[in-house]
Amino acid sequence: MISSDTAAKVQGALPFWISFLLIPAVWLSAIVGGWWVLIIPVLTWYLFSALDVVGGLNLENVDPDTADEHLSLYVLLTSLWVPIQFLTIFGLIYYAGQAEHLGTWEKIGLFFSVGAATGTVGINYSHELMHQKNKRERFLGDALLAMVLYSHFRSEHLLVHHRYVGTPRDPVTARYGEGFHRYFPRVLRQCWHSAFGAEKAMLARKDLPWTDLSNPFFRYWALQVGFIVLAFLLGGVAGILLFVFQAFIAIWQLELVNYVEHYGLTRKHLGDGKYEHVQPRHSWNAAHKASNWMLINLQRHSDHHYKPDRRFPLLQTYTEADAPQLPYGYPVMTMAAMYPRLWKKIMNPRVQRWREMYYPEITQWRAYNKALNPLPK
């Protein structure tokens, strides 16, 4: 007999496993071919947008002091995705090379879907894993990032983004008025440099050069090269191209989410290069039930930045009194971000209300932001 306590734990964790349905879906699309190869973006963008409407908001909070031993099913979820994603990416590279029923455009569409899965789920799970103290989980996070050629995201996220979010020193914080198509190339360039610079500075404080083997960039490069070589062995030059293509789509998905999470929000400058402490109000919150299942509560981003060490099932949601609220979940918001005029129509009035609510003493925001946070040319 299963105890009522065990049943309750399973019931609570089960909805978050919904993302695993993407794996059989992408494999089935490869077997069938045709327009079915685009099934993953249809599911992650459109189906979950509809499910958010049907499911509504989840405003309940789990006890944040719940011990790790009661979270085993949640921990297993993120860890198990790693080998499954590995087998899916490289299995499909080999399969696509042998599949005569798949034309060139179908293969491209298929790996667009793979990238949508590795970006929407894989990078998100790596984000959860990299925040843990457990070395095994951190390595699994590194493996997921290497599968999308974005290993430096770990260094940038932990050493730069969390420390400087909402300030000019954080490349990832989207500036007010900055469209995504301007934001995307900027963060691709700046985040690599900020991540490498952060690791180099840490080594310098230990009187070590950046070439010291303790620099995690050597591990990043080794993992990435290893995966590229494996893609070549399984699919030749075409295998490398498909692997790189899915990685680009995954990175694009990640940076769309990054763009949404902090758009227009800034921490108040206190003088002498210091800023107020990070609060829930410095990240956009979204309590939409279905998309939070798929994204393992990533949309409770206000609490993640406030308490970065909390595992995803313990993240708290907030009301508008404590954190700014997105009108829709990430699937809708990331699609809107691709259209700057639509995005600004939706979000700029909300940023204005946020400013009036939390910082009424700042009346000249244009001059304030220009002095602290000028957009790069």
Side-chain angles (χ1 to χ4, degrees):
M1 291 288 291
I2 299 176
S3 68
S4 59
D5 185 52
T6 300
K9 291 177 183 177
V10 172
Q11 186 178 6
L14 190 59
F16 291 103
W17 287 75
I18 196 170
S19 57
F20 280 75
L21 295 177
L22 299 181
I23 300 301
V26 74
W27 274 101
L28 183 61
S29 73
I31 294 169
V32 175
W35 287 104
W36 286 101
V37 297
L38 295 175
I39 188 64
I40 300 303
V42 171
L43 293 175
T44 56
W45 299 346
Y46 299 105
L47 177 60
F48 275 90
S49 295
L51 290 175
D52 272 343
V53 174
V54 175
L57 305 180
N58 177 14
L59 302 177
E60 296 180 3
N61 287 319
V62 176
D63 180 1
D65 296 321
T66 302
D68 272 4
E69 54 262 31
H70 299 300
L71 304 175
S72 57
L73 285 175
Y74 301 95
V75 176
L76 177 63
L77 180 154
T78 51
S79 299
L80 188 59
W81 179 268
V82 181
I84 291 176
Q85 177 173 299
F86 173 84
L87 292 172
T88 298
I89 293 175
F90 294 102
L92 284 173
I93 286 174
Y94 178 77
Y95 180 84
Q98 313 299 314
E100 296 181 358
H101 68 288
L102 293 177
T104 299
W105 287 107
E106 287 169 299
K107 292 177 183 178
I108 292 172
L110 174 63
F111 277 82
F112 185 96
S113 276
V114 173
T118 57
T120 302
V121 179
I123 295 183
N124 187 28
Y125 285 14
S126 76
H127 170 257
E128 172 73 9
L129 291 163
M130 74 172 70
H131 271 283
Q132 308 311 315
K133 297 178 181 179
N134 184 295
K135 289 184 178 180
R136 180 191 64 83
E137 289 182 277
R138 287 198 166 204
F139 176 77
L140 290 175
D142 284 345
L144 285 175
L145 290 176
M147 289 183 216
V148 295
L149 304 177
Y150 218 52
S151 297
H152 66 276
F153 175 63
R154 170 178 160 175
S155 294
E156 195 283 332
H157 186 80
L158 297 178
L159 302 181
V160 182
H161 178 56
H162 269 273
R163 182 176 181 182
Y164 298 116
V165 63
T167 78
R169 296 189 65 178
D170 177 35
V172 171
T173 299
R175 287 52 162 147
Y176 179 77
E178 181 181 26
F180 176 75
H181 303 294
R182 188 178 183 186
Y183 169 88
F184 187 42
R186 178 177 68 76
V187 295
L188 290 181
R189 180 182 68 256
Q190 293 183 354
C191 285
W192 192 94
H193 288 289
S194 66
F196 189 86
E199 294 290 359
K200 183 179 179 181
M202 284 188 66
L203 289 168
R205 287 193 288 272
K206 301 176 184 178
D207 295 323
L208 295 172
W210 74 265
T211 53
D212 189 86
L213 292 180
S214 63
N215 187 338
F217 271 76
F218 289 109
R219 181 173 67 255
Y220 300 162
W221 292 330
L223 285 169
Q224 290 177 173
V225 169
F227 286 140
I228 291 172
V229 170
L230 180 57
F232 176 76
L233 293 175
L234 293 171
V237 174
I240 293 178
L241 293 176
L242 291 174
F243 177 70
V244 171
F245 178 63
Q246 70 82 29
F248 175 79
I249 298 302
I251 294 166
W252 168 62
Q253 289 279 278
L254 165 68
E255 297 304 351
L256 268 170
V257 169
N258 277 337
Y259 176 80
V260 169
E261 287 171 339
H262 304 283
Y263 174 79
L265 305 182
T266 54
R267 285 155 61 194
K268 187 175 180 180
H269 186 244
L270 303 178
D272 297 324
K274 297 180 180 179
Y275 293 82
E276 63 179 318
H277 292 299
V278 179
Q279 298 293 326
R281 63 175 174 267
H282 297 122
S283 307
W284 290 98
N285 187 71
H288 300 80
K289 185 183 295 183
S291 48
N292 265 322
W293 287 341
M294 177 177 64
L295 299 171
I296 55 170
N297 279 342
L298 181 66
Q299 298 174 142
R300 295 187 169 197
H301 209 62
S302 298
D303 196 51
H304 170 66
H305 272 273
Y306 183 51
K307 298 289 183 181
D309 57 340
R310 279 183 182 159
R311 288 190 181 270
F312 78 86
L314 306 182
L315 290 172
Q316 309 290 287
T317 195
Y318 293 89
T319 66
E320 197 162 4
D322 297 306
Q325 305 294 313
L326 291 173
Y328 310 101
Y330 283 4
V332 171
M333 297 308 296
T334 52
M335 287 190 286
M338 291 298 296
Y339 302 93
R341 285 189 178 182
L342 175 61
W343 173 261
K344 292 174 184 178
K345 184 178 180 179
I346 295 171
M347 292 303 296
N348 283 7
R350 287 176 166 80
V351 175
Q352 295 287 353
R353 289 197 294 271
W354 175 86
R355 291 173 171 179
E356 293 168 2
M357 180 176 181
Y358 291 107
Y359 303 101
E361 70 278 11
I362 302 176
T363 56
Q364 300 296 325
W365 278 94
R366 183 184 295 271
Y368 181 83
N369 284 333
K370 188 175 182 180
L372 294 177
N373 199 18
L375 284 174
K377 297 187 182 298

